[in-house]
Amino acid sequence: MRRAPTHPGELFEEEYRKPSGISQAEAARRMGMSLPRMNEIVKGKRAVTAETALLFEAMTGSRAEFWLNLQAR
């Protein structure tokens, strides 16, 4: 049985935000987005848009295309 693809927000949370030691609120502030938006993305309730992918790129160094490809899956 195949498992569902990992949502890009979950990957951001587990691989970038948590290891960096910053809160969701601080990550949202640094990227110029609201905390509710950040939380919805992390919980997989909101899609990663092109704008969000660019913000994730600036925050993580991983290209925007990476985030958009994860969302497309």
Side-chain angles (χ1 to χ4, degrees):
M1 185 172 185
R2 298 182 78 177
R3 73 174 191 79
T6 303
H7 188 276
E10 182 182 346
L11 185 73
F12 173 79
E13 180 78 352
E14 297 300 324
E15 300 294 326
Y16 294 96
R17 194 208 48 89
K18 283 183 179 178
S20 73
I22 63 171
S23 66
Q24 274 189 21
E26 179 61 18
R29 186 193 66 75
R30 289 183 187 183
M31 289 189 272
M33 71 170 69
S34 70
L35 178 55
R37 177 180 171 193
M38 171 64 77
N39 189 261
E40 289 173 355
I41 292 167
V42 166
K43 291 187 180 277
K45 294 180 179 180
R46 186 177 196 146
V48 170
T49 63
E51 176 192 6
T52 305
L54 289 170
L55 294 172
F56 279 5
E57 178 181 68
M59 182 83 171
T60 67
S62 295
R63 295 182 51 92
E65 291 85 358
F66 168 77
W67 299 104
L68 291 173
N69 285 336
L70 283 176
Q71 183 63 53
R73 290 187 201 147

